[in-house]
mmCIF file of all heavy atoms in Angstrom:
data_model
loop_
_atom_site.group_PDB
_atom_site.id
_atom_site.type_symbol
_atom_site.label_atom_id
_atom_site.label_comp_id
_atom_site.label_asym_id
_atom_site.label_seq_id
_atom_site.Cartn_x
_atom_site.Cartn_y
_atom_site.Cartn_z
ATOM 1 N N ARG H 1 102.581 49.737 80.535
ATOM 2 C CA ARG H 1 103.500 49.148 79.565
ATOM 3 C C ARG H 1 103.967 50.174 78.547
ATOM 4 O O ARG H 1 105.079 50.100 78.043
ATOM 5 C CB ARG H 1 102.809 47.981 78.831
ATOM 6 C CG ARG H 1 102.283 46.887 79.730
ATOM 7 C CD ARG H 1 103.279 46.390 80.739
ATOM 8 N NE ARG H 1 104.555 46.003 80.155
ATOM 9 C CZ ARG H 1 105.627 45.635 80.860
ATOM 10 N NH1 ARG H 1 105.559 45.630 82.177
ATOM 11 N NH2 ARG H 1 106.734 45.295 80.265
ATOM 12 N N PHE H 2 103.090 51.150 78.264
ATOM 13 C CA PHE H 2 103.456 52.151 77.267
ATOM 14 C C PHE H 2 104.312 53.271 77.853
ATOM 15 O O PHE H 2 104.854 54.103 77.100
ATOM 16 C CB PHE H 2 102.196 52.752 76.628
ATOM 17 C CG PHE H 2 101.300 53.494 77.591
ATOM 18 C CD1 PHE H 2 101.545 54.817 77.923
ATOM 19 C CD2 PHE H 2 100.222 52.851 78.180
ATOM 20 C CE1 PHE H 2 100.738 55.492 78.811
ATOM 21 C CE2 PHE H 2 99.396 53.522 79.073
ATOM 22 C CZ PHE H 2 99.656 54.841 79.388
ATOM 23 N N ALA H 3 104.420 53.321 79.180
ATOM 24 C CA ALA H 3 105.160 54.433 79.794
ATOM 25 C C ALA H 3 105.724 54.024 81.143
ATOM 26 O O ALA H 3 105.501 54.688 82.141
ATOM 27 C CB ALA H 3 104.249 55.636 79.956
ATOM 28 N N LEU H 4 106.447 52.918 81.172
ATOM 29 C CA LEU H 4 106.937 52.386 82.432
ATOM 30 C C LEU H 4 107.783 53.416 83.166
ATOM 31 O O LEU H 4 108.843 53.826 82.690
ATOM 32 C CB LEU H 4 107.759 51.118 82.173
ATOM 33 C CG LEU H 4 108.302 50.410 83.411
ATOM 34 C CD1 LEU H 4 107.171 49.928 84.302
ATOM 35 C CD2 LEU H 4 109.201 49.244 83.006
ATOM 36 N N ALA H 5 107.262 53.870 84.310
ATOM 37 C CA ALA H 5 107.959 54.829 85.181
ATOM 38 C C ALA H 5 108.203 56.180 84.503
ATOM 39 O O ALA H 5 109.028 56.956 84.973
ATOM 40 C CB ALA H 5 109.267 54.246 85.686
ATOM 41 N N VAL H 6 107.475 56.471 83.424
ATOM 42 C CA VAL H 6 107.574 57.787 82.775
ATOM 43 C C VAL H 6 106.415 58.650 83.265
ATOM 44 O O VAL H 6 105.255 58.229 83.222
ATOM 45 C CB VAL H 6 107.518 57.674 81.238
ATOM 46 C CG1 VAL H 6 107.535 59.073 80.600
ATOM 47 C CG2 VAL H 6 108.685 56.842 80.727
ATOM 48 N N ASP H 7 106.724 59.835 83.755
ATOM 49 C CA ASP H 7 105.700 60.756 84.239
ATOM 50 C C ASP H 7 105.589 61.940 83.281
ATOM 51 O O ASP H 7 106.542 62.293 82.589
ATOM 52 C CB ASP H 7 106.055 61.276 85.633
ATOM 53 C CG ASP H 7 106.225 60.155 86.651
ATOM 54 O OD1 ASP H 7 105.567 59.117 86.494
ATOM 55 O OD2 ASP H 7 107.031 60.334 87.582
ATOM 56 N N ILE H 8 104.414 62.547 83.268
ATOM 57 C CA ILE H 8 104.180 63.751 82.485
ATOM 58 C C ILE H 8 104.009 64.920 83.444
ATOM 59 O O ILE H 8 103.163 64.875 84.338
ATOM 60 C CB ILE H 8 102.927 63.613 81.601
ATOM 61 C CG1 ILE H 8 103.108 62.499 80.576
ATOM 62 C CG2 ILE H 8 102.610 64.946 80.912
ATOM 63 C CD1 ILE H 8 104.261 62.716 79.605
ATOM 64 N N LEU H 9 104.823 65.953 83.263
ATOM 65 C CA LEU H 9 104.731 67.162 84.076
ATOM 66 C C LEU H 9 104.237 68.313 83.215
ATOM 67 O O LEU H 9 104.839 68.618 82.180
ATOM 68 C CB LEU H 9 106.107 67.511 84.672
ATOM 69 C CG LEU H 9 106.234 68.908 85.319
ATOM 70 C CD1 LEU H 9 105.297 69.045 86.507
ATOM 71 C CD2 LEU H 9 107.676 69.179 85.717
ATOM 72 N N LEU H 10 103.143 68.917 83.639
ATOM 73 C CA LEU H 10 102.632 70.136 83.012
ATOM 74 C C LEU H 10 102.774 71.262 84.023
ATOM 75 O O LEU H 10 102.136 71.253 85.074
ATOM 76 C CB LEU H 10 101.168 69.968 82.610
ATOM 77 C CG LEU H 10 100.440 71.215 82.093
ATOM 78 C CD1 LEU H 10 101.130 71.799 80.876
ATOM 79 C CD2 LEU H 10 98.981 70.905 81.781
ATOM 80 N N ALA H 11 103.638 72.210 83.705
ATOM 81 C CA ALA H 11 103.882 73.336 84.615
ATOM 82 C C ALA H 11 104.268 74.556 83.796
ATOM 83 O O ALA H 11 105.064 74.445 82.859
ATOM 84 C CB ALA H 11 104.988 73.001 85.614
ATOM 85 N N GLY H 12 103.689 75.690 84.140
ATOM 86 C CA GLY H 12 104.003 76.911 83.423
ATOM 87 C C GLY H 12 103.645 76.856 81.955
ATOM 88 O O GLY H 12 104.287 77.527 81.131
ATOM 89 N N GLY H 13 102.644 76.044 81.610
ATOM 90 C CA GLY H 13 102.228 75.913 80.217
ATOM 91 C C GLY H 13 103.085 74.966 79.405
ATOM 92 O O GLY H 13 102.793 74.729 78.228
ATOM 93 N N ASN H 14 104.128 74.394 80.003
ATOM 94 C CA ASN H 14 105.032 73.481 79.295
ATOM 95 C C ASN H 14 104.786 72.038 79.719
ATOM 96 O O ASN H 14 104.571 71.755 80.906
ATOM 97 C CB ASN H 14 106.492 73.841 79.576
ATOM 98 C CG ASN H 14 106.847 75.233 79.086
ATOM 99 O OD1 ASN H 14 106.476 75.618 77.977
ATOM 100 N ND2 ASN H 14 107.554 75.994 79.905
ATOM 101 N N VAL H 15 104.829 71.132 78.757
ATOM 102 C CA VAL H 15 104.649 69.703 79.023
ATOM 103 C C VAL H 15 105.992 69.012 78.868
ATOM 104 O O VAL H 15 106.677 69.184 77.856
ATOM 105 C CB VAL H 15 103.616 69.076 78.071
ATOM 106 C CG1 VAL H 15 103.502 67.576 78.325
ATOM 107 C CG2 VAL H 15 102.257 69.743 78.230
ATOM 108 N N GLN H 16 106.383 68.238 79.872
ATOM 109 C CA GLN H 16 107.666 67.534 79.844
ATOM 110 C C GLN H 16 107.451 66.058 80.164
ATOM 111 O O GLN H 16 106.585 65.701 80.970
ATOM 112 C CB GLN H 16 108.622 68.117 80.884
ATOM 113 C CG GLN H 16 108.849 69.603 80.794
ATOM 114 C CD GLN H 16 109.658 70.106 81.969
ATOM 115 O OE1 GLN H 16 110.722 69.570 82.293
ATOM 116 N NE2 GLN H 16 109.162 71.132 82.642
ATOM 117 N N GLU H 17 108.264 65.209 79.543
ATOM 118 C CA GLU H 17 108.302 63.795 79.893
ATOM 119 C C GLU H 17 109.443 63.594 80.880
ATOM 120 O O GLU H 17 110.590 63.944 80.594
ATOM 121 C CB GLU H 17 108.528 62.918 78.660
ATOM 122 C CG GLU H 17 107.368 62.921 77.680
ATOM 123 C CD GLU H 17 107.621 61.996 76.493
ATOM 124 O OE1 GLU H 17 108.595 61.206 76.541
ATOM 125 O OE2 GLU H 17 106.853 62.071 75.519
ATOM 126 N N LEU H 18 109.126 63.047 82.042
ATOM 127 C CA LEU H 18 110.142 62.800 83.054
ATOM 128 C C LEU H 18 110.443 61.310 83.107
ATOM 129 O O LEU H 18 109.588 60.503 83.488
ATOM 130 C CB LEU H 18 109.650 63.287 84.425
ATOM 131 C CG LEU H 18 109.233 64.756 84.528
ATOM 132 C CD1 LEU H 18 108.836 65.084 85.962
ATOM 133 C CD2 LEU H 18 110.343 65.678 84.050
ATOM 134 N N ARG H 19 111.649 60.959 82.734
ATOM 135 C CA ARG H 19 112.052 59.551 82.712
ATOM 136 C C ARG H 19 112.973 59.267 83.891
ATOM 137 O O ARG H 19 113.748 60.133 84.303
ATOM 138 C CB ARG H 19 112.730 59.211 81.387
ATOM 139 C CG ARG H 19 111.772 59.396 80.207
ATOM 140 C CD ARG H 19 112.373 59.044 78.859
ATOM 141 N NE ARG H 19 111.364 59.193 77.820
ATOM 142 C CZ ARG H 19 110.502 58.235 77.473
ATOM 143 N NH1 ARG H 19 110.560 57.051 78.082
ATOM 144 N NH2 ARG H 19 109.602 58.445 76.538
ATOM 145 N N PRO H 20 112.906 58.059 84.431
ATOM 146 C CA PRO H 20 113.719 57.746 85.614
ATOM 147 C C PRO H 20 115.191 57.628 85.267
ATOM 148 O O PRO H 20 115.561 57.316 84.129
ATOM 149 C CB PRO H 20 113.151 56.403 86.081
ATOM 150 C CG PRO H 20 112.628 55.779 84.825
ATOM 151 C CD PRO H 20 112.076 56.921 84.008
ATOM 152 N N GLU H 21 116.021 57.904 86.245
ATOM 153 C CA GLU H 21 117.459 57.740 86.058
ATOM 154 C C GLU H 21 117.819 56.273 86.194
ATOM 155 O O GLU H 21 117.272 55.538 87.016
ATOM 156 C CB GLU H 21 118.224 58.557 87.101
ATOM 157 C CG GLU H 21 117.922 58.142 88.527
ATOM 158 C CD GLU H 21 118.817 58.824 89.534
ATOM 159 O OE1 GLU H 21 119.383 59.878 89.226
ATOM 160 O OE2 GLU H 21 118.930 58.272 90.651
ATOM 161 N N GLY H 22 118.745 55.813 85.387
ATOM 162 C CA GLY H 22 119.257 54.451 85.522
ATOM 163 C C GLY H 22 118.243 53.379 85.172
ATOM 164 O O GLY H 22 117.223 53.618 84.516
ATOM 165 N N GLU H 23 118.521 52.169 85.621
ATOM 166 C CA GLU H 23 117.688 51.015 85.334
ATOM 167 C C GLU H 23 116.364 51.107 86.093
ATOM 168 O O GLU H 23 116.317 51.519 87.248
ATOM 169 C CB GLU H 23 118.425 49.736 85.740
ATOM 170 C CG GLU H 23 117.686 48.448 85.415
ATOM 171 C CD GLU H 23 118.457 47.210 85.824
ATOM 172 O OE1 GLU H 23 119.608 47.365 86.303
ATOM 173 O OE2 GLU H 23 117.928 46.100 85.681
ATOM 174 N N VAL H 24 115.276 50.713 85.412
ATOM 175 C CA VAL H 24 113.958 50.717 86.038
ATOM 176 C C VAL H 24 113.685 49.338 86.628
ATOM 177 O O VAL H 24 113.818 48.321 85.946
ATOM 178 C CB VAL H 24 112.856 51.067 85.017
ATOM 179 C CG1 VAL H 24 111.481 50.961 85.669
ATOM 180 C CG2 VAL H 24 113.075 52.459 84.459
ATOM 181 N N TYR H 25 113.317 49.330 87.910
ATOM 182 C CA TYR H 25 113.014 48.073 88.586
ATOM 183 C C TYR H 25 111.500 47.864 88.590
ATOM 184 O O TYR H 25 110.771 48.655 89.180
ATOM 185 C CB TYR H 25 113.539 48.096 90.029
ATOM 186 C CG TYR H 25 115.037 47.967 90.129
ATOM 187 C CD1 TYR H 25 115.875 48.983 89.693
ATOM 188 C CD2 TYR H 25 115.610 46.815 90.644
ATOM 189 C CE1 TYR H 25 117.251 48.861 89.769
ATOM 190 C CE2 TYR H 25 116.986 46.682 90.739
ATOM 191 C CZ TYR H 25 117.805 47.712 90.298
ATOM 192 O OH TYR H 25 119.165 47.588 90.381
ATOM 193 N N GLU H 26 111.042 46.811 87.928
ATOM 194 C CA GLU H 26 109.609 46.520 87.890
ATOM 195 C C GLU H 26 109.235 45.788 89.178
ATOM 196 O O GLU H 26 109.184 44.569 89.227
ATOM 197 C CB GLU H 26 109.258 45.683 86.665
ATOM 198 C CG GLU H 26 109.248 46.466 85.371
ATOM 199 C CD GLU H 26 108.528 45.721 84.274
ATOM 200 O OE1 GLU H 26 107.301 45.553 84.396
ATOM 201 O OE2 GLU H 26 109.184 45.306 83.316
ATOM 202 N N ARG H 27 108.974 46.560 90.200
ATOM 203 C CA ARG H 27 108.575 45.971 91.461
ATOM 204 C C ARG H 27 107.440 46.804 92.044
ATOM 205 O O ARG H 27 107.375 48.011 91.861
ATOM 206 C CB ARG H 27 109.748 45.897 92.436
ATOM 207 C CG ARG H 27 110.362 47.232 92.754
ATOM 208 C CD ARG H 27 111.744 47.114 93.391
ATOM 209 N NE ARG H 27 111.829 46.131 94.448
ATOM 210 C CZ ARG H 27 112.908 45.939 95.199
ATOM 211 N NH1 ARG H 27 113.977 46.688 94.991
ATOM 212 N NH2 ARG H 27 112.925 45.037 96.140
ATOM 213 N N SER H 28 106.527 46.130 92.718
ATOM 214 C CA SER H 28 105.381 46.810 93.302
ATOM 215 C C SER H 28 105.711 47.170 94.744
ATOM 216 O O SER H 28 105.890 46.289 95.593
ATOM 217 C CB SER H 28 104.142 45.898 93.249
ATOM 218 O OG SER H 28 102.983 46.597 93.613
ATOM 219 N N VAL H 29 105.825 48.467 94.998
ATOM 220 C CA VAL H 29 106.243 48.954 96.306
ATOM 221 C C VAL H 29 105.109 49.767 96.929
ATOM 222 O O VAL H 29 104.444 50.561 96.259
ATOM 223 C CB VAL H 29 107.526 49.803 96.186
ATOM 224 C CG1 VAL H 29 107.889 50.455 97.504
ATOM 225 C CG2 VAL H 29 108.679 48.917 95.702
ATOM 226 N N HIS H 30 104.900 49.571 98.213
ATOM 227 C CA HIS H 30 103.817 50.193 98.975
ATOM 228 C C HIS H 30 104.150 51.639 99.331
ATOM 229 O O HIS H 30 105.259 51.931 99.789
ATOM 230 C CB HIS H 30 103.610 49.363 100.242
ATOM 231 C CG HIS H 30 102.508 49.812 101.131
ATOM 232 N ND1 HIS H 30 101.218 49.997 100.703
ATOM 233 C CD2 HIS H 30 102.498 50.111 102.452
ATOM 234 C CE1 HIS H 30 100.462 50.382 101.710
ATOM 235 N NE2 HIS H 30 101.221 50.459 102.787
ATOM 236 N N GLY H 31 103.201 52.547 99.111
ATOM 237 C CA GLY H 31 103.364 53.914 99.583
ATOM 238 C C GLY H 31 104.149 54.832 98.674
ATOM 239 O O GLY H 31 104.560 55.916 99.089
ATOM 240 N N THR H 32 104.340 54.438 97.414
ATOM 241 C CA THR H 32 105.158 55.260 96.519
ATOM 242 C C THR H 32 104.497 56.600 96.197
ATOM 243 O O THR H 32 105.172 57.627 96.102
ATOM 244 C CB THR H 32 105.468 54.510 95.213
ATOM 245 O OG1 THR H 32 104.239 54.043 94.633
ATOM 246 C CG2 THR H 32 106.374 53.327 95.486
ATOM 247 N N GLY H 33 103.171 56.594 96.008
ATOM 248 C CA GLY H 33 102.477 57.846 95.708
ATOM 249 C C GLY H 33 102.551 58.824 96.862
ATOM 250 O O GLY H 33 102.767 60.031 96.661
ATOM 251 N N CYS H 34 102.397 58.314 98.071
ATOM 252 C CA CYS H 34 102.512 59.155 99.266
ATOM 253 C C CYS H 34 103.915 59.745 99.364
ATOM 254 O O CYS H 34 104.096 60.947 99.598
ATOM 255 C CB CYS H 34 102.222 58.340 100.525
ATOM 256 S SG CYS H 34 100.638 57.482 100.545
ATOM 257 N N THR H 35 104.908 58.892 99.174
ATOM 258 C CA THR H 35 106.294 59.316 99.307
ATOM 259 C C THR H 35 106.674 60.345 98.246
ATOM 260 O O THR H 35 107.330 61.355 98.539
ATOM 261 C CB THR H 35 107.223 58.091 99.222
ATOM 262 O OG1 THR H 35 106.904 57.191 100.296
ATOM 263 C CG2 THR H 35 108.685 58.483 99.297
ATOM 264 N N PHE H 36 106.255 60.118 97.006
ATOM 265 C CA PHE H 36 106.561 61.038 95.915
ATOM 266 C C PHE H 36 105.967 62.423 96.164
ATOM 267 O O PHE H 36 106.658 63.442 96.068
ATOM 268 C CB PHE H 36 106.032 60.453 94.611
ATOM 269 C CG PHE H 36 106.236 61.333 93.404
ATOM 270 C CD1 PHE H 36 107.505 61.710 92.997
ATOM 271 C CD2 PHE H 36 105.152 61.759 92.651
ATOM 272 C CE1 PHE H 36 107.695 62.509 91.874
ATOM 273 C CE2 PHE H 36 105.325 62.561 91.527
ATOM 274 C CZ PHE H 36 106.599 62.936 91.144
ATOM 275 N N SER H 37 104.689 62.464 96.537
ATOM 276 C CA SER H 37 104.040 63.760 96.773
ATOM 277 C C SER H 37 104.628 64.453 98.003
ATOM 278 O O SER H 37 104.774 65.680 98.023
ATOM 279 C CB SER H 37 102.521 63.589 96.920
ATOM 280 O OG SER H 37 102.194 62.666 97.932
ATOM 281 N N ALA H 38 104.990 63.674 99.026
ATOM 282 C CA ALA H 38 105.624 64.267 100.210
ATOM 283 C C ALA H 38 106.993 64.834 99.866
ATOM 284 O O ALA H 38 107.397 65.882 100.389
ATOM 285 C CB ALA H 38 105.746 63.228 101.325
ATOM 286 N N ALA H 39 107.720 64.157 98.980
ATOM 287 C CA ALA H 39 109.037 64.656 98.572
ATOM 288 C C ALA H 39 108.892 65.970 97.796
ATOM 289 O O ALA H 39 109.708 66.889 97.961
ATOM 290 C CB ALA H 39 109.758 63.611 97.726
ATOM 291 N N ILE H 40 107.860 66.070 96.959
ATOM 292 C CA ILE H 40 107.618 67.333 96.250
ATOM 293 C C ILE H 40 107.338 68.438 97.257
ATOM 294 O O ILE H 40 107.885 69.544 97.164
ATOM 295 C CB ILE H 40 106.444 67.197 95.266
ATOM 296 C CG1 ILE H 40 106.782 66.203 94.150
ATOM 297 C CG2 ILE H 40 106.095 68.563 94.663
ATOM 298 C CD1 ILE H 40 105.607 65.891 93.229
ATOM 299 N N ALA H 41 106.477 68.151 98.246
ATOM 300 C CA ALA H 41 106.160 69.147 99.272
ATOM 301 C C ALA H 41 107.414 69.563 100.033
ATOM 302 O O ALA H 41 107.617 70.747 100.323
ATOM 303 C CB ALA H 41 105.105 68.603 100.232
#
């Protein structure tokens, strides 16, 4: 509730808040963590 869809990235000694683009959909979707990490890879 305090950070809906907001991620914290720490890289190169810098901390950034990553906020989603557009409207945030509050829905529970299966496999999001797998998909996100695979997309980074």
Side-chain angles (χ1 to χ4, degrees):
R1 303 311 308 174
F2 63 84
L4 182 62
V6 176
D7 302 330
I8 297 299
L9 168 63
L10 173 58
N14 298 316
V15 177
Q16 306 172 51
E17 293 182 11
L18 303 183
R19 298 181 177 273
E21 61 172 21
E23 183 180 356
V24 176
Y25 286 69
E26 285 196 67
R27 59 196 314 185
S28 189
V29 173
H30 182 54
T32 53
C34 305
T35 299
F36 178 60
S37 55
I40 295 173

